[in-house]
Amino acid sequence: MSGDQECDLLFTGATVFDGTGAAPVMQDVAIAEGRIIAVGSGLTLTAAETRDARGLALAPGFIDVHTHDDLAVFRRSTILPKLSQGVTTVVTGNCGISLAPSPLVIRDVPVPPLDLIATADDYRYASFGAFLDAMRAAGPAVNVVPLVGHTALRARVMEALDGPASADEIAAMRRDLAEALDQGAAGLSTGLAYPPAKGSTTGEIVTLATDVAAAGKLWTTHMRDERSGVVSAVAETIDIARRSGARTLISHHKCCGQAAFGLSRTTLAMIEEARAEMPLDIDVYPYTASSTVLIEAYVRDSRKVTISWSDPHPEMAGRDLAEVAAEWGVDVNEAVGRLKPGGAIYHQMDDGDLERILTWPPSLIGSDGLPRDKRPHPRLWASFPLVLGHFARDRGLLSQAQAVAKMTGQTAKVLGLADRGRIAEGCAADVVLFDPAEIRAVADYDTPDAPSAGVTAVYVNGQLAYAPDAPDGAGAGQVL
Ligand SMILES: [Zn+2]
């Protein structure tokens, strides 16, 4: 392309990772009005701004396919953990937990795990549409793909959450689900491992997922069991996917507790086989510790447990649970009881499973970060650079191009985002510039909230949204 065509921004000499997994190529990339208008070498467009990108990787902005950022997207300060990693799109409302429609219809406080993302005061949107209107008005710094949570829907209509829903309750959930999907929800998430959803039958989920399929949308699931029963949980998920016809995404696939170590060989083989006949995908975060609300069973299965937040004992955030129990002169279960409501980081997975899932070609990268935690799991700030730096560059378990594809092009395909996740003419100009030799996670379990190294600039819809030395950026995100 040459001549007198104009553009807003021209990157020259960038090492372009196009999001497909192909090896990077040195190219120029031109952006106008929020879109990529040209990709090639030696572009001669007239540019309002030219940025010399020699030595830097230019990739599609990362899509964090698994987040709990429903509330975090409202403020730049709380979405900074994602922006500073190169993330330009977040999928919210995962694990059955969504900020809307408000679950506080027949009770005053959010039942765990709904308290992971917000307090009662924040659960104020009567409808999904009202939530999205507020988000648009706030001008999010990143794009948002919002899911509606099954547990939120259950909590709206069920007095007792520990059993199956009645026919009337299912009918009420279907009405709320239909309204949310109609008002812009990208799909439904379930969190079947958690107490308020564990009692739901497979049939309840098939019914709701069938509605999701009819709307052409996505079902994501934190499966019923990610421990020694993970194989039967995958079988249930495949069964629901088959019977409902819904596009299905297994959330943060993992095998927790020693009895589950190695089971990813079986689960990935099952998923691989099912993929031949249905759209079924998985995402994964790159750590062997999980993090969620305090639950006794998870504590029993863990090598080490760190408290991430506690309402009655905020001073204990960051402390080792066993040490706190010893200090109090009580057993660990008693300590958990005193600390609840609260959250924890559970070291309970095996490196072999993590590496197998992470390097399985179809898997997508999601952070599962918990932005409200006082002492968060480092996945909140560092998941994407950890994959690109540690796992890809330093250990060579996959190429950086493959890693980028797992964060961009593959993800966009699963989400049905036709014009995101690739560096190609006509795509939205969500772009990250990073130094492929320097990108690395800085946040770790000891210092959980540090921005990553090597991310140079992040553009959302063509607007500069983040640079390490710039205090502010545009709120150019869209609800997708
Ligand atoms: Zn989850």
Side-chain angles (χ1 to χ4, degrees), residues 10-29 39-42 51-62 388 399-402 404 408 422-423 430-439 454 456-457:
L10 179 64
F11 298 101
T12 58
T15 302
V16 175
F17 290 76
D18 68 1
T20 66
V25 180
M26 193 187 284
Q27 283 178 315
D28 305 334
V29 176
V39 183
S41 50
R51 185 158 187 169
D52 181 356
R54 277 173 299 178
L56 292 177
L58 185 155
F62 306 144
L388 288 165
S399 70
Q400 283 186 326
Q402 287 172 309
V404 166
T408 59
R422 284 173 303 127
I423 299 299
D430 294 340
V431 168
V432 54
L433 284 179
F434 67 89
D435 184 333
E438 293 295 330
I439 191 163
T456 309

Side-chain angles (χ1 to χ4, degrees), residues 66 95 222 252:
H66 190 95
C95 302
H222 176 154
H252 46 55

Side-chain angles (χ1 to χ4, degrees), residues 66 68 94-97 116 190-191 194 221-223 226 251-252 254 285 291-292 368 379:
H66 190 95
H68 295 287
N94 276 288
C95 302
I97 308 162
L116 275 178
T190 50
Y194 289 116
T221 185
H222 176 154
M223 299 187 298
E226 297 180 306
S251 298
H252 46 55
K254 56 181 170 298
Y285 54 78
S291 184
T292 186
D368 200 11
R379 65 193 186 185

Side-chain angles (χ1 to χ4, degrees), residues 26-362:
M26 193 187 284
Q27 283 178 315
D28 305 334
V29 176
I31 288 169
E33 291 172 358
R35 299 258 147 200
I36 296 169
I37 60 160
V39 183
S41 50
L43 296 183
T44 57
L45 291 82
T46 306
E49 183 192 345
T50 300
R51 185 158 187 169
D52 181 356
R54 277 173 299 178
L56 292 177
L58 185 155
F62 306 144
I63 301 170
D64 190 345
V65 74
H66 190 95
T67 86
H68 295 287
D69 290 337
D70 302 47
L71 191 59
V73 292
F74 281 84
R75 288 169 181 272
R76 185 184 156 79
S77 60
T78 46
I79 204 64
L80 195 61
K82 300 301 171 62
L83 263 180
S84 60
Q85 297 179 64
V87 170
T88 56
T89 298
V90 297
V91 179
T92 60
N94 276 288
C95 302
I97 308 162
S98 63
L99 199 59
S102 173
L104 303 182
V105 177
I106 53 175
R107 39 176 77 73
D108 297 330
V109 292
V111 295
L114 295 175
D115 58 352
L116 275 178
I117 62 163
T119 61
D121 288 347
D122 297 315
Y123 275 109
R124 65 173 93 112
Y125 303 105
S127 70
F128 208 81
F131 163 59
L132 294 186
D133 286 345
M135 194 192 293
R136 288 190 191 97
V142 296
N143 304 305
V144 181
V145 176
L147 301 170
V148 61
H150 170 238
T151 298
L153 298 181
R154 277 194 135 220
R156 285 167 64 79
V157 300
M158 294 175 68
E159 294 282 353
L161 286 164
D162 53 355
S166 68
D168 284 350
E169 287 163 344
I170 291 178
M173 278 191 267
R174 292 183 70 188
R175 282 194 294 276
D176 284 343
L177 173 62
E179 183 182 278
L181 293 173
D182 186 53
Q183 292 176 347
L188 172 75
S189 76
T190 50
L192 303 178
Y194 289 116
K198 227 182 178 118
S200 58
T201 61
T202 301
E204 173 179 331
I205 310 306
V206 170
T207 300
L208 298 174
T210 301
D211 291 347
V212 171
K217 299 197 172 183
L218 177 73
W219 171 49
T220 72
T221 185
H222 176 154
M223 299 187 298
R224 217 177 277 277
D225 197 326
E226 297 180 306
R227 326 188 75 76
S228 56
V230 68
V231 171
S232 56
V234 169
E236 183 193 32
T237 303
I238 292 171
D239 179 45
I240 295 167
R242 181 178 290 122
R243 288 161 65 189
S244 67
R247 272 190 288 141
T248 299
L249 178 62
I250 294 174
S251 298
H252 46 55
H253 189 38
K254 56 181 170 298
C255 300
C256 294
Q258 203 156 0
F261 289 0
L263 290 179
S264 61
R265 285 190 192 86
T266 310
T267 59
L268 292 183
M270 293 165 74
I271 294 163
E272 177 102 63
E273 194 188 326
R275 279 168 60 83
E277 52 165 311
M278 64 182 74
L280 174 64
D281 288 275
I282 67 171
D283 63 65
V284 59
Y285 54 78
Y287 293 88
T288 54
S290 67
S291 184
T292 186
V293 286
L294 270 165
I295 294 177
E296 282 83 349
Y298 294 6
V299 171
R300 281 196 295 276
D301 272 355
S302 299
R303 298 184 287 274
K304 173 183 166 66
V305 178
T306 309
I307 300 154
S308 55
W309 62 279
S310 164
D311 274 351
H313 292 281
E315 74 283 6
M316 292 304 179
R319 296 283 311 275
D320 182 87
L321 176 65
E323 279 176 28
V324 170
E327 211 170 283
W328 283 347
V330 300
D331 68 16
V332 165
N333 275 347
E334 169 66 23
V336 168
R338 291 189 190 179
L339 289 161
K340 285 204 288 194
I345 297 166
Y346 304 91
H347 295 264
Q348 55 174 354
M349 289 170 240
D350 183 52
D351 286 314
D353 289 307
L354 169 61
E355 291 170 17
R356 192 174 297 115
I357 296 168
L358 191 67
T359 58
W360 189 55

